[in-house]
Amino acid sequence: MSDEPQRWAPRDPSGRANASAGTGEGGEGKGAGEGAAPQDGGARDEGAKDGGAKERTGRAKRPRRKGWRRLVPTWRMVLGAVLLVAVLLVGGFIAGYQLVDIPAANSSATAQSNVYLYRDGAVIARDGDVNRENVRLAQVPEEVQHAVLAAEDRNFYSERAVDVSAMFRAAWNTVTGKGRQGGSTITQQYVKNYYLGQEQTVVRKAKEFFIAIKLDREQTKDQIFEGYLNTSYFGRNAYGIQAAAQAYYGKDVGDVDVAEGAYLASLLNAPSAYDVVAHPENEPAVLARWEYVLDGMVKEEWLGAPARAALTFPPPEKAKTATGLSGQRGYLVNAVREYLTGHGVVDEETLATGGYRITTTLEKEKQDAFVDAVEENVTSRTDEDREADRNVRVGGASIDTGTGRVVALYGGIDYTRQYVNNATRRDYQVGSTFKPFVFTSAVANGSTTQDGRRITPRTRYDGTNERPVQGRQGDTGYAPANEDDVSYGDITVREATDKSVNAVYAQMAEDVGPEKVEETAIDLGIPEDTPDLSASPSIALGPATASVLDMAEAYATLANHGRHGTYSLVEKVTKDGRNLALPSRTTRQAVSRQAADTTTSILRSVVEGGTGTAAQGAGRPAAGKTGTAEEDKAAWFAGYTPDLATVVAVMGQDPETGTQESLYGALGQSRINGGGAPAETWADYTAAALEGSEVREFDLDVVEGSEESEEPTDEETETGDDPDSPSDTPSGDTPTTPAGTAPATPGPTGTGAGGTTGTGPTGGGGSNGSGNGGATTGGTANGGDGNANGGAADAGAADGGGNGATGETGGTGGAPGRGLVEGARGPAFPFTWR
């Protein structure tokens, strides 16, 4: 034992060491307890330790967490986690904002169809796969805008680009089984439609979030809303509010009222399901949604309660079949495209991007009338069992003579079956429909025959078949045949026009000058680059291959007293609500009024008693000309009233090879000529197109000497010749065949003994010849006076007479009087001339 005095604290009644001893003397606790009992010593020892620890730290040591408490995070852990998440979110936002750029618009969002309209606004066709037509926000009525906002996002103009709370709410409702709900603002929906796509992925949603924020800083709310209205899907394959208005109500969005606008807005929630025509069983849900939209408008004070109460649900129209390019639509679209690109309004590649709204000059009633006329006079006469009928094609064009507007086109039976547009193609000869341009040129240029007589309707020519054309230097080597090889002898220009005598017009073209004829045709409206439009005597017979539309333009110039203005096919073009500049239409006096009007006077005679009498079926004063292409590959009728210039052509083309074919045997006829189906189609169309309009007479100012009743003028007789005598231009040795007889086969020289019975053209009847020296077919006769009664069957001929000339070897004598000419004026006279 130590001799040192012991220092110890009195025992705590509880058995624990004195706290002060434990804390103050902690360093000696171990020695003091060495002689005590183990438990006491241990206690004191522990106390000493605790006291030392507290002395060093200044606070009590936290007891360890045991059991389930170890699973509960401490507040420090929660705070740390929150801070970590915040850092990650902020960092992710910054990174996402920096990394995600506003992309280019997706192709489906920018794709639009071009819309082609009749002049009255009715839709002709759409030529794109996507039915969309963008409009400016200003074109959408304010009440329709409010309906969409009431349906989709009432706070659009005041809220941010994204609504985070709405996104979380929508996500929660979806997770908890309350149905999939959208939490996207209009800005986000526009981003999805225009820049991204419809896939439901986290990545797409994240991109949508960042693009919406950026877009909201770069574009105005109006710009975003306009884009949304133009890209949203409304059902019925209608993308955008304009296409929807047309699809459901058949009108432009600018004409949509508030009730209709509320229904269109309702469709955005479920486009297909809310189409009450397609799904009438969903009508209760549709009505509930429609009322929700209207009630929202009232709540937002966009619509008054009384006005809301007065509204009734506007049932949409039945869904229309997609307006494709079948029937005439494809031909019309084709012609309009050519017009726009050909006149430099828009290039072909740009037009193909879509979005153009094109209002044409075409009038629906007239267009329908043209289709009906072709059906009545051509299509209905074809027979599947007749080989020739498979080659039949029809082209047509009609132009308002005063304005130059194209009011109707006929391109073919069906664009999806025959894609070549017969109204605009330039590969068929126009035939004798070109002859009026020759006469117009003669009058316009004051031309004379080669013996110096001024060319007027009364000027006489030698109409002998295959008569060589004589130039200033002699025989040109060109000797055209007349139709059916008929010789007409001495004949006036008017009569030669009535009967379409090739020999006369070929010589007239040479007298005028082929170059001047070509120039006049171009002035009237025939394109300068028309194939086979060349300055030669043959120009008169129409080897040029102008289109039906080209010919209609030229004839419209004649109808308009010689004033020419290029035709117009398009009245207005807009894209995104903005008008494109169209070519201005100017008119000029292409030929003198007297030249044009005098041509009209002889073309009236063609309709009144020549090859075009079928055109009288229009019931209008009319002028026109028939024509036939070489080998009967096309038959034409070109004519006009004071109001309309219309051209119809029936063409022959092999559907397999595309080669041109003759029309022999087509429509059940041995031959197709311009005075048949083309003139009949013209008459039916013109009658229907002008039905209800005032009947107008031609107001003509013709050159002196044009009327048959007029006396010769000094100018006509200035050479000292009888103006009614045939031209002194050499005509070769070919004698003439009387017009009342069929073409003769050359025979030996002989003298006719007495009168013989003459023969007329097929179906035309004959005439009983009497007098001295009536010709015998195939021989030569010394002609006396041959008086004949014009007994043409079905024609109603008048009396006529003529002096028979002495025929040469191989010819026939006895030139006809006017019996047959007048007979041809009968209403049922068969058309054997072109």
Side-chain angles (χ1 to χ4, degrees):
M1 274 183 84
S2 171
D3 293 334
E4 294 182 11
Q6 298 293 320
R7 295 181 183 179
W8 49 275
R11 285 181 66 91
D12 189 330
S14 64
R16 292 193 296 269
N18 187 283
S20 62
T23 58
E25 309 263 353
E28 301 178 5
K30 182 177 181 181
E34 287 182 352
Q39 62 270 23
D40 293 337
R44 285 193 296 273
D45 186 52
E46 290 296 328
K49 290 180 179 179
D50 289 343
K54 288 182 179 180
E55 184 178 20
R56 288 192 302 271
T57 62
R59 61 180 180 274
K61 185 178 180 180
R62 184 187 314 111
R64 293 183 178 180
R65 298 164 59 86
K66 299 180 180 180
W68 63 270
R69 296 180 182 274
R70 298 175 62 184
L71 302 177
V72 179
T74 65
W75 67 270
R76 289 186 179 88
M77 295 171 64
V78 172
L79 179 61
V82 169
L83 291 175
L84 178 62
V85 170
V87 170
L88 291 175
L89 287 176
V90 172
F93 178 85
I94 295 173
Y97 190 84
Q98 294 295 327
L99 294 175
V100 178
D101 292 325
I102 299 176
N106 63 61
S107 57
S108 62
T110 57
Q112 299 182 64
S113 60
N114 292 320
V115 183
Y116 298 82
L117 308 170
Y118 286 109
R119 191 162 178 257
D120 64 359
V123 175
I124 298 173
R126 302 177 189 274
D127 69 352
D129 295 329
V130 176
N131 181 15
R132 176 189 286 117
E133 182 187 348
N134 289 343
V135 292
R136 290 176 296 161
L137 186 61
Q139 293 176 263
V140 182
E142 190 174 31
E143 56 266 27
V144 177
Q145 296 181 38
H146 289 157
V148 173
L149 293 174
E152 294 296 303
D153 192 353
R154 299 176 188 179
N155 299 317
F156 167 71
Y157 276 94
S158 60
E159 70 186 1
R160 297 181 182 274
V162 295
D163 186 343
V164 177
S165 62
M167 292 173 62
F168 279 113
R169 182 173 61 252
W172 176 256
N173 288 337
T174 300
V175 169
T176 56
K178 295 182 180 180
R180 295 181 62 182
Q181 297 184 14
S184 299
T185 63
I186 279 180
T187 303
Q188 288 174 277
Q189 293 181 60
Y190 171 52
V191 168
K192 177 183 66 175
N193 293 339
Y194 192 72
Y195 296 104
L196 301 174
Q198 304 301 316
E199 66 274 7
Q200 298 291 332
T201 64
V202 174
V203 174
R204 196 272 294 163
K205 197 69 178 175
K207 287 183 177 180
E208 175 190 303
F209 178 87
F210 289 112
I211 294 172
I213 293 173
K214 285 190 172 183
L215 191 69
D216 194 52
R217 301 184 62 170
E218 295 187 9
Q219 293 187 5
T220 66
K221 289 288 188 179
D222 280 349
Q223 289 174 318
I224 293 171
F225 191 36
E226 178 181 299
Y228 172 76
L229 291 174
N230 283 321
T231 56
S232 296
Y233 182 61
F234 289 81
R236 294 192 181 183
N237 194 37
Y239 290 84
I241 192 77
Q242 167 65 14
Q246 285 287 346
Y248 288 92
Y249 292 107
K251 60 177 67 173
D252 290 336
V253 67
D255 299 323
V256 171
D257 61 32
V258 63
E260 295 165 341
Y263 175 66
L264 295 179
S266 301
L267 290 166
L268 292 166
N269 188 251
S272 297
Y274 282 0
D275 185 344
V276 291
V277 174
H279 298 284
E281 69 278 8
N282 292 340
E283 185 174 349
V286 174
L287 288 173
R289 182 68 179 176
W290 179 74
E291 290 173 350
Y292 165 81
V293 173
L294 292 175
D295 290 343
M297 294 177 70
V298 173
K299 182 178 180 180
E300 297 295 326
E301 298 183 353
W302 294 328
L303 179 67
R308 158 71 180 91
L311 295 176
T312 57
F313 181 75
E317 298 178 351
K318 292 183 179 180
K320 300 182 181 67
T321 304
T323 308
L325 299 180
S326 61
Q328 291 300 303
R329 291 188 287 267
Y331 300 119
L332 302 182
V333 167
N334 174 271
V336 172
R337 284 176 181 162
E338 290 182 357
Y339 180 88
L340 292 175
T341 57
H343 287 78
V345 177
V346 60
D347 63 80
E348 189 173 354
E349 185 176 351
T350 304
L351 183 62
T353 63
Y356 290 91
R357 182 180 179 83
I358 303 159
T359 302
T360 70
T361 59
L362 299 168
E363 299 179 17
K364 191 175 189 307
E365 289 185 359
K366 291 182 174 62
Q367 182 66 37
D368 292 343
F370 219 137
V371 174
D372 292 343
V374 174
E375 171 65 27
E376 175 68 23
N377 295 285
V378 181
T379 310
S380 65
R381 299 180 184 178
T382 59
D383 190 328
E384 293 181 357
D385 297 329
R386 201 158 39 226
E387 183 70 15
D389 285 349
R390 66 194 288 270
N391 301 326
V392 173
R393 303 287 183 272
V394 180
S398 184
I399 295 178
D400 184 298
T401 59
T403 64
R405 291 195 301 259
V406 179
V407 295
L409 288 175
Y410 187 91
I413 187 75
D414 189 329
Y415 186 73
T416 61
R417 294 163 53 191
Q418 300 172 6
Y419 65 89
V420 177
N421 193 337
N422 297 322
T424 58
R425 66 189 303 171
R426 288 175 175 162
D427 57 348
Y428 279 86
Q429 293 179 345
V430 301
S432 293
T433 55
F434 197 92
K435 287 175 180 173
F437 308 154
V438 179
F439 179 75
T440 303
S441 187
V443 179
N445 289 289
S447 301
T448 62
T449 63
Q450 297 199 18
D451 57 7
R453 291 173 297 115
R454 186 164 59 90
I455 299 174
T456 73
R458 296 176 58 203
T459 303
R460 306 187 78 85
Y461 271 91
D462 185 352
T464 301
N465 184 52
E466 295 187 348
R467 171 189 178 278
V469 174
Q470 301 299 308
R472 302 295 177 183
Q473 306 303 320
D475 192 343
T476 63
Y478 178 56
N482 293 330
E483 184 70 27
D484 294 329
D485 293 320
V486 176
S487 286
Y488 296 93
D490 180 27
I491 191 171
T492 67
V493 169
R494 185 182 297 275
E495 293 169 331
T497 308
D498 288 349
K499 299 174 183 179
S500 200
V501 181
N502 292 340
V504 171
Y505 269 90
Q507 182 62 57
M508 189 190 303
E510 182 65 22
D511 293 346
V512 175
E515 296 82 3
K516 291 181 179 179
V517 172
E518 180 183 5
E519 182 181 345
T520 297
I522 293 171
D523 288 341
L524 291 173
I526 302 301
E528 187 174 358
D529 60 351
T530 299
D532 296 322
L533 179 63
S534 58
S536 67
S538 65
I539 192 173
L541 309 188
T545 57
S547 72
V548 171
L549 185 54
D550 295 335
M551 294 298 288
E553 179 178 339
Y555 272 70
T557 304
L558 293 175
N560 197 30
H561 309 294
R563 291 190 62 80
H564 172 256
T566 54
Y567 70 82
S568 58
L569 185 55
V570 175
E571 194 156 279
K572 184 179 181 182
V573 180
T574 62
K575 184 170 185 179
D576 298 332
R578 296 174 177 82
N579 293 336
L580 272 68
L582 293 175
S584 58
R585 183 177 185 269
T586 57
T587 60
R588 63 182 181 85
Q589 197 70 42
V591 296
S592 67
R593 172 166 183 164
Q594 282 195 330
D597 287 1
T598 305
T599 302
T600 297
S601 74
I602 65 171
L603 295 184
R604 289 197 66 185
S605 181
V606 172
V607 172
E608 292 169 355
T611 57
T613 54
Q616 294 177 15
R620 300 268 173 163
K625 185 71 186 74
T626 57
T628 306
E630 189 176 3
E631 297 179 4
D632 281 18
K633 292 178 180 177
W636 297 68
F637 184 79
Y640 50 93
T641 68
D643 306 282
L644 284 180
T646 305
V647 177
V648 180
V650 178
M651 308 165 180
Q653 181 179 19
D654 188 297
E656 306 264 337
T657 65
T659 58
Q660 295 184 14
E661 299 288 343
S662 71
L663 293 167
Y664 298 133
L667 307 184
Q669 301 177 24
S670 59
R671 301 178 68 178
I672 300 294
N673 55 57
E680 293 163 356
T681 301
W682 184 95
D684 283 359
Y685 160 74
T686 301
L690 297 178
E691 184 177 6
S693 65
E694 178 185 358
V695 177
R696 295 174 56 204
E697 295 287 344
F698 286 104
D699 177 21
L700 303 180
D701 178 13
V702 299
V703 297
E704 281 187 64
S706 297
E707 301 302 328
E708 292 180 305
S709 59
E710 291 180 357
E711 294 298 323
T713 64
D714 292 339
E715 185 180 359
E716 287 178 305
T717 59
E718 64 183 6
T719 62
D721 297 325
D722 183 351
D724 292 333
S725 66
S727 169
D728 291 337
T729 303
S731 58
D733 296 330
T734 306
T736 61
T737 301
T741 64
T745 302
T749 302
T751 302
T756 60
T757 300
T759 58
T762 304
S767 59
N768 295 320
S770 64
N772 298 321
T776 300
T777 301
T780 303
N782 295 319
D785 289 335
N787 297 317
N789 292 320
D794 303 325
D799 292 341
N803 295 319
T806 300
E808 301 294 337
T809 301
T812 57
R818 290 188 52 82
L820 184 61
V821 175
E822 294 302 315
R825 297 178 187 270
F829 190 84
F831 304 105
T832 58
W833 296 297
R834 306 299 174 92

